Amino acid sequence: AVMEHPGKLWKIRARHTVLATGALERPLLFQNNDLPGVMLLSAAERFAGQYGVSAGRRIVVAGLDIAERAAALAGLGLNVVATVDYDTSSIIRAKGRAVLRAVEIETPAGRETIACDALLMSGGWTPNVHLLRHAEGKIRFDDAAQTFVPTGDVPDLTCIGGCAGRNPIDDGAAVVTDGVRPPEDHPRGLGYVVHRDANPRKVWVDFHNDVRLSDIRTAADEGFRSVEHLKRYTTLGMATDQGRTSNVNAILTLGDYLGKPPQSIGTTRFRPPFKPVRLGAFAGRNTGELLQPLRRTIWHDEAVGNGAILADYAGWHRAVCFPKSGETEADAVQREALAVREGVGLFDASPLGKIEVWGPDAATFLDRIYAGTMSTLKTGRVRYGLMMSEQGAIFDDGVCARLEDDLFLVGTTSGNAARVLDHLEEWHQREWPDLRVSIVPVTEQWATLSINGPRARDLLERLRPGADISAKALRHMQAVETTLGELPARILRVSFTGELCFEVSVPAVEGAGLWRAAMTAGEGLGVLPFGVESLMVMRIEKGFAHIGSETDGDTLPDDLGYGRMVANKKSDCVGRRSTERVNARRPDRRQMVGLEPLDARQAIAVGANVLSVDGKRTRGWVSSAAHSPVLERSVALAMIEGGRALTGETITLYHDGGRIEARVCAPCALDPDGERLRG
């Protein structure tokens, strides 16, 4: 047996195998049997029983052994207006143009037309014997069932239920080991039954590849009388279902036309695999672009149209920067960062994770999830928060906004949106199922545009927000649900650049229009789009930690300077106990600090090692670095053993065979008082 698991192919050798692969219902053959509204009875039963959906308003059920099944559907509330029992009656044709309107039948009393919009048919059952045939098992044609069933001649292999040729709609599971089944388990099936008045050009045998009764007869007339030749001449059985619903009817049709029994016609070869298997599972590890398909943001086309350089950021195809003609990537990043500091820029923040947590116990739930406290957050306010693993390590950060008393909007990093969702669901379902909380991911439902810079408010006002966005009305770390023109919108005053910033979210389908409107509104303000690398320059200038750059699997909140967030918390939360371990309180833990070169002309490199005093070992490393177009020197963040105690001291950095001297300083190099972002 071969079983596919995502990315892996398992080969299993069993001592004894039980095949319970079931059976598939066959359609009936009559004129216009491809009209919308004609479907398998088993499909309609599943729609009704599992999903509560009726196949139609006026339903006709046709086939063999259908009385109890039709009554069961009626018992579920479906309007079954007639049954056509093929023991005494048959269907001549379905009527209608684009959809089914009526069905014409032949009865012992004569012909009759019944108005209906759904015809549910059952022509018998075809056992799924593919795996049996892969094991070199034999099959034979069963006259009563009018299909091929197992003979039970494979050692250490047992077929049960529908696969054994038993009626799948009965209870229990008949076992076939010797080719003999109990009579009561013996289902009946219809052979080649097509009304004499039916037009063979309008009787479909294979619904997937539109192979008609006339096509099979033409193939036989032209000498393609082997089932393998018939398959390739007509493409019968080569479509989506690989002949599962059509092959038996095709064999019966060909045999009737040639005057041969189905056993002599035979079947096409049952080739593995039974289910489709991805080529990557056979080939091994996926490579190149197939490693992980990149997702495109709402404004992908706008970014491409503005000349963006695109790259993979946490699985998203995002803009690195927007270089002008003749401009290098590095020059474009510097230009964009400086332009945002002096004017206004637009950033595509749609990939940032957005999860709605709502319900009477939402605040209590989030208090247990976040390192900080969210229950004290007032409606319309935003708070920065960290999430920890059970080991106390930071695994994500973001802002949390309280939009209503029982509705919170949890923000995550772009790369951890799915991981955070799993984290929330796991703790709710496994540990606190009593909390009345609903967790809904809405990342793809909102297009989020981040408007940054001292002219950000001027631009946003031109987009006609429905709320007061003045500095007094909408302050930093506040949120408002309002409108933007005619669109519903959420506006958050948060900033990852250190500048005045508005994160504006509108329904995703309106995203492209928002981008174009913002670019138009900002023409007189010098607006420009900026990319991820430009954003990184500005966040390093401000000393904002970046999950994945300043953190690893061992980084605790105190290592980034957030120790008080946990220490001052009055309630427990995930990971808190782990932050109280002896190892978590070591004074020589690596802590985030800022660095500035003693020589402003020298550049600090990401990954540079921080040497010990004797120069024989590494005390840490540079986690983020960039050239600041405002300060006109390198700015950097580093994780250094006991780093905060070294503030003001000079250290040596080693990188690529060279050494430079740098001074340890506070992480924030630009606007430490935050006047820009509170503007």
Side-chain angles (χ1 to χ4, degrees), residues 95-128:
K95 293 185 174 183
R97 292 178 65 94
V99 295
L100 178 67
R101 300 297 184 188
V103 58
E104 184 181 355
I105 65 174
E106 179 101 41
T107 72
R111 297 192 177 190
E112 180 182 350
T113 298
I114 304 172
C116 63
D117 60 356
L119 172 60
L120 314 182
M121 54 184 173
S122 177
W125 297 90
T126 301
N128 286 321

Side-chain angles (χ1 to χ4, degrees), residues 203-216 230 234-237:
V203 177
W204 271 260
V205 179
D206 186 330
F207 295 86
H208 295 260
N209 271 353
D210 285 346
V211 179
R212 299 164 297 179
L213 176 59
S214 59
D215 297 324
I216 295 176
L230 172 69
T234 63
T235 71
L236 189 148

Side-chain angles (χ1 to χ4, degrees), residues 11-86:
K11 292 186 177 180
I12 301 173
R13 293 175 174 84
R15 292 181 180 177
H16 192 96
T17 303
V18 176
L19 295 184
T21 49
L24 292 175
E25 198 162 29
R26 294 197 302 276
L28 298 174
L29 301 181
F30 52 88
Q31 186 170 321
N32 300 329
N33 59 345
D34 70 326
L35 274 177
V38 178
M39 63 190 302
L40 292 174
L41 175 54
S42 55
E45 288 171 330
R46 184 170 184 181
F47 277 125
Q50 187 167 342
Y51 302 106
V53 175
S54 175
R57 293 182 174 86
R58 290 179 55 84
I59 298 173
V60 172
V61 180
L64 286 176
D65 304 319
I66 57 171
E68 291 185 4
R69 299 171 70 185
L73 290 178
L76 292 175
L78 278 67
N79 182 27
V80 179
V81 298
T83 59
V84 182
D85 190 331
Y86 264 62

Side-chain angles (χ1 to χ4, degrees), residues 471-513:
K472 292 184 178 181
L474 187 63
R475 299 181 180 181
H476 182 59
M477 301 303 279
Q478 288 188 334
V480 62
E481 288 191 289
T482 181
T483 57
L484 203 64
E486 303 298 327
L487 303 177
R490 291 173 172 174
I491 302 177
L492 276 62
R493 272 288 311 274
V494 294
S495 178
F496 199 47
T497 60
E499 294 296 327
L500 170 64
C501 175
F502 298 88
E503 280 192 4
V504 181
S505 297
V506 299
V509 294
E510 306 293 345

